Amino acid sequence: MAKDQLNVLKALDVAKTQWYHFTAIVIAGMGFFTDSYDLFCISLVTKLLGRIYFYEEGSNKPGSLPSNVAAAINGVALCGTLAGQLFFGWLGDKMGRKRVYGITLMLMVICSIASGLSFSKDPKAVVITLCFFRFWLGFGIGGDYPLSATIMSEYANKKTRGAFIAAVFAMQGFGILAGGMVAIIVSSVFSAYYPAPPFSVDPVLSTIPQADYVWRIILMFGALPALLTFYSRMKMPETARYTALVAKNAKQAAEDMSKVLQVEIVAEQEKIQELEKRRGNDFGLFTTQFFRRHGLHLLGTATTWFLLDIAYYSQNLFQKDIFSAIGWIPAAKTMSALEELFKIARAQTLIALCSTVPGYWFTVALIDRMGRFKIQLMGFFFMTVFMFGLAIPYHHWTLMGNQIFFVVLYSFTFFFANFGPNATTFIVPAEIFPARLRSTCHGISAAAGKAGAIVGAFGFVYAQSTIGVRYSLIILGVINFFGMMFTFLVPEPNGKSLEEMSGEAEEETTATTESALEAGLDVRT
């Protein structure tokens, strides 16, 4: 009930957009910048790793990672991310958002640096070291998902909450863009200082010894943006919704938000104690009451995220293979190792610049006008259409002169993923569940997404080699269609307070009625 809502929460809901909103977006967003940089930069260097460590002397083609090694290197961080989302999501509801926030960031910094190191130059040692540290890097990244989304949703006002959470997530696009740009710069610098012939001219000299530093520098760069925001994260106060509704400390919540909002907010500890006495708003995750109120919502958020990430991560992690298959990137033997890295990075940067980044910011601009449901449904619909548009006439796109049209359609699938379900699946779970379970439920939804990403990362390798790119794209189109269908399970949070959406206001009303009935009072209106 609105009259039962604490003053501090009302103040947050109606607050005008202020400097602290933008500060929170930057602090939380830099985490996502780092997340996407670390997750997707690996796809840039896998071909380079193959040339350095898996070239067979006398072979007529450059070295490449065995399919099982490629799948492990691409997918191990996603496995860590899934585990981190579940663990830190739960921990964020138990210990508080802020206390856990710094742990995830330091884990990302340490493991970004460590993933660029190895105990020797033996291929097996390099792969094992890389996979070990990328798993724990993913574990830290996983924690950033539920915590960043929950913190931003609990800080934001009711009117522009969608745009603020979307802006945090949009930093993922800049992370992907930065990965490509760093790879372009590093490969260009090394190529200028250490020129090398194409593989077809000299198989050995085409991969210079210094190339071993290139992939390490690219991976280790991911530690820098995370490190720059560590101090700011530690200075952020705990969210008022956690402090008041979960920790039951209205005085601390009022003090923290008075400083942030720069207004005087009266603490209402008596109201907290009154709400605490009421029954009905303390159910746990594994209860009939949760299943009745939020079971379908959780199924909807988890399933749509799962289906989206199968398609999205397949496209992102293996776009270099798709571009090679259609002939947009030249044959590997016609290039040196660093030239191949440069051209892969240039292609990924072009896709990010023209479709991925604009898609995110279209969502930021329009989500509070169109609503989450329409954007997600529209995104899945157009992803389905464009994926079938790529797959059905696939042979036509591989013909000389047609590749550019393939790239344009392929770019549209990225645009509508980001101006669509890739953003909304992140936003909605942070808005529709109760405060005491918000981080946990977001973590579960995000983990379902990473399960889809793992299916995409491991499955696309084998699908591409067994049934070919065309049928792989058809499967991704079908998956996008099912994502559109499951969107109907997800409610629309646009314009509503978190307490309205989560049902916490309704729980209070129900609990008050039950208490009155038990006392023998007339509750008729």
Side-chain angles (χ1 to χ4, degrees):
M1 288 187 297
K3 65 184 178 66
D4 280 333
Q5 191 180 29
L6 295 168
N7 285 335
V8 66
L9 305 187
K10 287 181 191 173
L12 284 167
D13 277 343
V14 301
K16 292 180 180 179
T17 301
Q18 298 176 33
W19 181 248
Y20 86 90
H21 286 123
F22 295 107
T23 304
I25 287 170
V26 170
I27 294 170
M30 284 308 289
F32 263 88
F33 178 97
T34 305
D35 295 350
S36 62
Y37 181 96
D38 288 332
L39 285 177
F40 293 117
C41 70
I42 193 67
S43 67
L44 297 167
V45 300
T46 48
K47 285 192 179 277
L48 182 60
L49 287 168
R51 287 199 186 225
I52 296 170
Y53 296 109
F54 290 90
Y55 170 66
E56 296 176 8
E57 195 171 346
S59 174
N60 63 351
K61 60 181 181 179
S64 61
L65 297 176
S67 59
N68 61 329
V69 174
I73 289 174
N74 279 302
V76 70
L78 301 177
C79 296
T81 304
L82 188 154
Q85 285 164 335
L86 292 172
F87 177 72
F88 286 115
W90 168 79
L91 203 61
D93 284 331
K94 295 297 178 187
M95 291 177 58
R97 292 46 162 142
K98 179 194 170 180
R99 290 175 68 184
V100 183
Y101 215 23
I103 299 171
T104 62
L105 200 68
M106 282 313 299
L107 198 54
M108 287 156 60
V109 169
I110 293 166
C111 292
S112 286
I113 295 169
S115 62
L117 306 173
S118 59
F119 300 125
S120 73
K121 289 192 175 183
D122 174 67
K124 189 174 182 181
V126 169
V127 170
I128 290 172
T129 307
L130 182 60
C131 287
F132 176 81
F133 285 113
R134 281 191 65 79
F135 175 86
W136 290 108
L137 173 64
F139 192 69
I141 289 171
D144 219 48
Y145 274 73
L147 293 170
S148 289
T150 301
I151 284 171
M152 199 64 241
S153 73
E154 293 181 345
Y155 263 111
N157 61 46
K158 186 164 60 174
K159 186 178 178 182
T160 56
R161 185 178 62 235
F164 289 157
I165 306 173
V168 170
F169 195 62
M171 295 299 287
Q172 191 178 74
F174 288 123
I176 296 170
L177 188 63
M181 291 174 69
V182 169
I184 287 171
I185 293 167
V186 175
S187 60
S188 298
V189 169
F190 273 78
S191 292
Y193 279 95
Y194 307 102
F199 179 88
S200 56
V201 174
D202 192 318
V204 176
L205 293 180
S206 67
T207 305
I208 57 171
Q210 292 81 5
D212 194 46
Y213 295 114
V214 171
W215 69 269
R216 298 174 190 274
I217 291 169
I218 292 170
L219 295 187
M220 293 167 78
F221 182 85
L224 186 60
L227 198 58
L228 291 174
T229 55
F230 180 75
Y231 178 75
S232 299
R233 280 201 181 192
M234 293 299 92
K235 292 280 287 181
M236 286 180 77
E238 182 58 86
T239 70
R241 283 185 160 90
Y242 181 85
T243 306
L245 299 177
V246 183
K248 310 296 182 186
N249 190 340
K251 182 181 177 184
Q252 187 64 53
E255 285 179 6
D256 289 341
M257 291 306 105
S258 293
K259 293 175 186 175
V260 168
L261 297 172
Q262 296 181 332
V263 295
E264 190 64 36
I265 300 174
V266 178
E268 300 172 288
Q269 193 61 40
E270 299 81 9
K271 189 179 280 189
I272 287 281
Q273 291 167 352
E274 181 187 337
L275 296 176
E276 179 74 2
K277 291 175 185 175
R278 297 177 181 178
R279 295 190 298 110
N281 65 342
D282 57 353
F283 57 83
L285 181 65
F286 302 105
T287 61
T288 305
Q289 202 167 352
F290 176 86
F291 180 78
R292 191 179 75 248
R293 289 175 182 268
H294 300 292
L296 283 178
H297 298 163
L298 186 58
L299 177 65
T301 57
T303 306
T304 51
W305 207 337
F306 172 78
L307 293 168
L308 164 77
D309 273 10
I310 294 176
Y312 188 72
Y313 277 80
S314 295
Q315 287 173 250
N316 254 308
L317 290 172
F318 300 103
Q319 58 180 276
K320 62 186 182 301
D321 301 308
I322 293 171
F323 292 152
S324 296
I326 65 164
W328 195 42
I329 295 175
K333 63 172 61 179
T334 65
M335 299 179 283
S336 67
L338 293 185
E339 186 184 357
E340 183 179 37
L341 171 62
F342 175 86
K343 291 191 174 176
I344 290 169
R346 187 179 63 181
Q348 179 165 307
T349 302
L350 187 63
I351 292 290
L353 196 60
C354 296
S355 62
T356 305
V357 172
Y360 282 114
W361 290 98
F362 264 75
T363 302
V364 174
L366 297 174
I367 190 164
D368 289 312
R369 297 181 188 178
M370 292 178 62
R372 289 69 161 150
F373 177 80
K374 287 181 182 176
I375 287 179
Q376 183 161 314
L377 197 68
M378 175 194 69
F380 270 128
F381 172 77
F382 282 111
M383 287 170 71
T384 305
V385 169
F386 287 118
M387 198 61 75
F388 284 135
L390 292 170
I392 293 170
Y394 178 74
H395 176 69
H396 172 76
W397 301 124
T398 62
L399 299 177
M400 186 62 65
N402 294 338
Q403 293 100 325
I404 189 64
F405 298 105
F406 181 97
V407 173
V408 170
L409 286 182
Y410 194 71
S411 297
F412 272 118
T413 65
F414 278 106
F415 176 81
F416 282 106
N418 296 308
F419 181 34
N422 194 39
T424 53
T425 52
F426 174 79
I427 295 165
V428 174
E431 299 181 298
I432 64 176
F433 298 108
R436 64 189 175 281
L437 299 171
R438 187 168 291 135
S439 180
T440 301
C441 290
H442 193 286
I444 292 169
S445 302
K450 280 300 166 286
I454 291 165
V455 171
F458 288 99
F460 196 85
V461 172
Y462 296 104
Q464 185 188 0
S465 59
T466 53
I467 62 176
V469 173
R470 178 173 184 260
Y471 288 104
S472 299
L473 294 175
I474 289 174
I475 291 170
L476 295 183
V478 172
I479 288 167
N480 290 329
F481 174 79
F482 279 109
M484 186 168 60
M485 294 296 100
F486 277 98
T487 295
F488 288 94
L489 294 177
V490 182
E492 176 58 78
N494 195 27
K496 298 178 181 178
S497 75
L498 295 181
E499 287 67 46
E500 277 182 271
M501 257 339 285
S502 65
E504 285 166 297
E506 180 189 338
E507 290 161 14
E508 291 165 10
T509 305
T510 305
T512 305
T513 304
E514 288 175 355
S515 299
L517 287 170
E518 286 176 4
L521 300 176
D522 188 353
V523 294
R524 291 173 295 177
T525 56

